[in-house]
Amino acid sequence: MPFNLPKSNITEITLIGTGGGYGESIVIHLGNNEWVIVDSCQNPNTKESLPLLYLNKIGVNVEKDVKLVICTHWHDDHLLGLSQLLQVAKNANFCFTEATDRKKFLQLVGLDYAKLSREPSNSSTTEFSKCLEIINERHNRIVLAIENKTLFGADISPNIRSEVIALSPSDQTILNFNAEISSLITEFGESRKKIIIRTPNEKSIAIFLKLGVHRAILGSDLEVSSDPNEGWTNVLDNSIVIDRKSSLFKISHHGSENGYHLRIWNELLEDNPVSKLTPWNKNNRLPTAEMLQLYSNHTDKLYMTAPIVSLKPKKRDKSIEKIITSLNCKIHEVKYAQGIIQCRNDLQANTEWVVETLEGALKVN
Amino acid sequence: METILDKSWLNALNTNGSAKIDNDFIYNSLQSRVDKQKNIFIDNSDIITSQEFSFNKVSEPQNQSFFLPAISPPYLILESKSYFTGAQKWIGHVTTINEHTFNAQLNDLNDPTTYEIGEFDLNEVPPEDMELLSVGAAFYWSVGKANMNGQVEKKSLIRFQRMKPWSATDYDDALDKADTLFKELNWD
């Protein structure tokens, strides 16, 4: 029975993903009803936060038991619905990437928010700003993520501890981000134009989980950078928190080529780890068939939250469809599909993960 | 609703009490009212997205009456030249710009659920909007039927978003709020 509350000695890492680029979220049970949520995504039809729906479905007391909500980076597909979740999770602290000059970072957010609030907006800035307002009203803590920092820890029992540790962003990335914030404020520009953060993936928070005897890596959208002091290369060369290999891996950046590094599989992961990913199906599709094959060579426990579907025109009233067709307009709908990959294990026993694929999720190989 | 003529009459009474109608006032007021309506139609209307009206201002009549209707021919003549009936409307955000085309993420304003990806030719952008085309820029896209002096054609219209420019006050307000938030947040 997958839609039930795990027992206090059972850990859970569940990936909730969507097929069309509508986002992904991860819910983590550290044990003893302590939950951490990583990112959020939203059903575009109902506007409901998907991790919140899942938590309610399995019977989690979201208000009391969610202890930390992490925003790994500033992309719509990882942020939408986060404020809805935080609104309910009254006990949760809020975590996002460190910025050297915090005041300047808030100024950038504030400026963009003021622009966007002139019209209804579903953007990541609006969502992020709402999260800050909620946390501020409650005086809950802001936890800033930087490589090798423990974001949250819980003693589940006298000899079991669970921890959530950031693997990124690196010091170098944060320094570069600081310079970027300055230039974005300077070139703030016209009121109608959204501020675009360059390469938010480089600032992603990749996470190392210590869950009793188990280890897991959540790759977020972290990429392999050309700078060895950033991205995955920095994690591989400089991380001091990885104490042993992981048996579960959330593949980074939708299984893309620039999120892949052979050394991750050789040095950070056990043989045949449980591996899961959320596809991306917007103007380009991820993962490609070649990358899927590559991942399948590393593990036979490869899972995807939803299939990659072809882009087709949206169904509309016939008269409108006729007009669009006659004008040769090239538009395609990004279809919404949802899947859940639930992984549970005993915190104290060196056992295999019990994996359930729910709704549209599938095992690839 | 107060008519333009009523306003003019009140103004006249308030100034010197004499029966004097200001034709310029009527003309300018009516034109600005129509311009305002035009902008409202363009921005909000599901049915009509642009109209063109023209007024012919004729020479001042010698004898005026307070009790003329708001639009009183032959002083002001309203002529409708063409109109557009929008069947479907989107707001788009430019994602990439190529040599001859640009791509955008489109949010359907008639059905704001799943989004769409569109590819447009650069020559679909009105010349006066070309300077507004950039990655991140927002635009309205409507498809429908246009009546051009009686001839009905299917049309696609793109119009980039124009917003009131930022003032120093707007900018300072946003920064002040950020500074307050910085002091109030419970940082790690």
Side-chain angles (χ1 to χ4, degrees):
Chain A
M1 289 285 286
F3 287 115
N4 60 355
L5 201 56
K7 293 191 173 119
S8 57
N9 66 320
I10 300 293
T11 183
E12 175 174 333
I13 304 173
T14 292
L15 175 63
I16 301 162
T18 61
Y22 292 99
E24 64 181 32
S25 169
I26 303 171
V27 305
I28 305 160
H29 181 231
L30 299 164
N32 262 3
N33 295 321
E34 309 246 7
W35 291 83
V36 169
I37 315 299
V38 179
D39 293 334
S40 175
C41 49
Q42 209 176 43
N43 181 326
N45 300 310
T46 62
K47 310 294 182 212
E48 289 167 307
S49 164
L50 294 178
L52 184 57
L53 267 180
Y54 174 78
L55 292 172
N56 285 333
K57 201 164 183 176
I58 64 172
V60 172
N61 184 340
V62 177
E63 185 177 333
K64 182 170 132 318
D65 293 339
V66 173
K67 299 298 165 62
L68 183 69
V69 172
I70 301 173
C71 164
T72 62
H73 64 296
W74 206 322
H75 261 155
D76 284 355
D77 63 323
H78 289 256
L79 260 175
L80 292 182
L82 202 66
S83 62
Q84 208 182 102
L85 173 64
L86 257 184
Q87 195 70 52
V88 181
K90 293 188 166 39
N91 254 353
N93 293 326
F94 184 44
C95 173
F96 52 87
T97 297
E98 169 75 88
T100 319
D101 189 331
R102 296 171 188 178
K103 188 195 271 195
K104 205 158 47 173
F105 170 70
L106 287 180
Q107 286 173 347
L108 181 69
V109 172
L111 286 168
D112 202 28
Y113 183 44
K115 270 191 187 182
L116 294 165
S117 56
R118 290 166 173 225
E119 62 163 43
S121 170
N122 218 14
S123 84
S124 43
T125 309
T126 314
E127 194 70 53
F128 189 81
S129 297
K130 284 181 194 165
C131 291
L132 289 178
E133 282 170 13
I134 292 168
I135 289 296
N136 189 33
E137 274 166 34
R138 292 190 191 142
H139 299 290
N140 287 7
R141 245 177 353 116
I142 299 280
V143 177
L144 295 168
I146 188 168
E147 58 177 332
N148 303 320
K149 180 176 173 179
T150 300
L151 306 176
F152 184 77
D155 290 308
I156 306 302
S157 71
N159 53 355
I160 303 178
R161 180 163 172 85
S162 290
E163 287 180 349
V164 180
I165 306 170
L167 293 175
S168 63
S170 65
D171 282 325
Q172 185 63 47
T173 302
I174 287 169
L175 269 172
N176 293 345
F177 186 34
N178 194 50
E180 186 185 340
I181 292 173
S182 299
S183 72
L184 286 171
I185 289 178
T186 311
E187 59 187 62
F188 180 62
E190 299 162 57
S191 56
R192 61 180 181 88
K193 212 169 127 185
K194 184 175 165 21
I195 288 176
I196 297 185
I197 300 272
R198 295 156 213 155
T199 61
N201 290 348
E202 284 179 7
K203 291 114 186 144
S204 291
I205 306 171
I207 291 167
F208 182 59
L209 293 172
K210 290 182 177 178
L211 302 166
V213 300
H214 303 285
R215 301 292 182 262
I217 293 178
L218 310 179
S220 181
D221 274 1
L222 193 65
E223 297 178 21
V224 178
S225 172
S226 52
D227 184 338
N229 295 315
E230 296 193 85
W232 278 112
T233 317
N234 181 70
V235 173
L236 288 159
D237 289 341
N238 301 317
S239 178
I240 57 174
V241 293
I242 296 177
D243 56 350
R244 55 176 182 269
K245 291 185 177 183
S246 297
S247 53
L248 187 146
F249 181 38
K250 203 292 288 186
I251 295 171
S252 43
H253 197 219
H254 311 284
S256 71
E257 203 176 321
N258 50 17
Y260 173 83
H261 200 308
L262 179 60
R263 286 177 62 195
I264 296 172
W265 295 87
N266 290 342
E267 296 174 29
L268 303 183
L269 301 173
E270 289 179 0
D271 289 338
N272 215 25
V274 170
S275 306
K276 37 192 182 177
L277 65 90
T278 302
W280 171 265
N281 190 23
K282 239 172 165 175
N283 38 344
N284 56 327
R285 284 181 228 170
L286 297 169
T288 59
E290 293 75 21
M291 290 310 297
L292 267 184
Q293 184 58 56
L294 190 55
Y295 291 124
S296 295
N297 294 342
H298 288 301
T299 177
D300 60 18
K301 296 175 208 163
L302 181 60
Y303 299 87
M304 211 150 74
T305 52
I308 302 167
V309 296
S310 305
L311 297 178
K312 285 181 186 164
K314 193 173 187 175
K315 283 281 173 208
R316 293 191 158 90
D317 188 80
K318 284 267 182 275
S319 59
I320 298 175
E321 279 184 5
K322 265 176 122 176
I323 296 175
I324 294 172
T325 312
S326 70
L327 289 169
N328 277 327
C329 298
K330 293 176 191 160
I331 57 168
H332 300 99
E333 183 187 13
V334 180
K335 271 209 165 314
Y336 168 70
Q338 184 201 323
I340 299 174
I341 305 167
Q342 186 195 75
C343 301
R344 290 180 175 179
N345 210 334
D346 189 323
L347 278 163
Q348 294 182 87
N350 267 311
T351 44
E352 298 275 313
W353 290 92
V354 174
V355 183
E356 295 272 2
T357 50
L358 307 167
E359 300 189 18
L362 54 124
K363 188 168 187 284
V364 174
N365 45 12
Chain B
M1 187 170 92
E2 188 184 284
T3 64
I4 291 164
L5 206 57
D6 294 337
K7 198 182 281 187
S8 175
W9 177 32
L10 283 171
N11 281 345
L13 286 178
N14 289 339
T15 48
N16 56 18
S18 60
K20 184 177 174 182
I21 293 176
D22 183 350
N23 266 359
D24 281 336
F25 176 87
I26 293 170
Y27 173 83
N28 290 333
S29 297
L30 192 59
Q31 187 62 56
S32 88
R33 180 188 285 185
V34 167
D35 284 343
K36 197 171 158 186
Q37 284 300 318
K38 187 164 87 169
N39 289 336
I40 290 168
F41 285 142
I42 287 169
D43 288 336
N44 294 330
S45 175
D46 287 338
I47 306 298
I48 297 173
T49 56
S50 71
Q51 294 195 37
E52 286 182 31
F53 293 96
S54 66
F55 292 97
N56 299 320
K57 188 177 170 191
V58 300
S59 57
E60 290 182 37
Q62 295 305 306
N63 295 312
Q64 304 281 341
S65 166
F66 289 116
F67 305 103
L68 286 171
I71 298 171
S72 173
Y75 307 132
L76 293 163
I77 298 167
L78 186 70
E79 291 177 357
S80 176
K81 285 185 177 172
S82 59
Y83 63 87
F84 175 78
T85 305
Q88 175 66 48
K89 194 169 177 184
W90 296 261
I91 182 165
H93 290 89
V94 178
T95 51
T96 49
I97 301 174
N98 311 309
E99 200 181 335
H100 301 293
T101 60
F102 70 94
N103 296 334
Q105 177 172 317
L106 301 167
N107 291 304
D108 182 343
L109 290 172
N110 297 48
D111 174 30
T113 54
T114 51
Y115 58 84
E116 293 162 280
I117 303 290
E119 185 187 78
F120 301 90
D121 279 324
L122 287 177
N123 57 24
E124 289 187 60
V125 178
E128 61 271 21
D129 278 8
M130 276 307 285
E131 59 175 5
L132 301 173
L133 172 66
S134 58
V135 175
F139 62 95
Y140 293 103
W141 178 43
S142 302
V143 299
K145 292 182 185 172
N147 184 321
M148 313 289 286
N149 293 317
Q151 182 74 29
V152 176
E153 293 174 8
K154 295 187 181 93
K155 275 279 190 195
S156 164
L157 292 178
I158 288 177
R159 183 175 164 270
F160 274 77
Q161 198 178 57
R162 287 162 170 79
M163 291 179 75
K164 189 168 75 80
W166 277 70
S167 64
T169 314
D170 292 329
Y171 192 84
D172 288 342
D173 280 348
L175 292 185
D176 286 343
K177 278 184 188 152
D179 290 349
T180 307
L181 190 61
F182 170 72
K183 286 174 195 152
E184 289 177 356
L185 280 172
N186 183 5
W187 298 98
D188 199 11

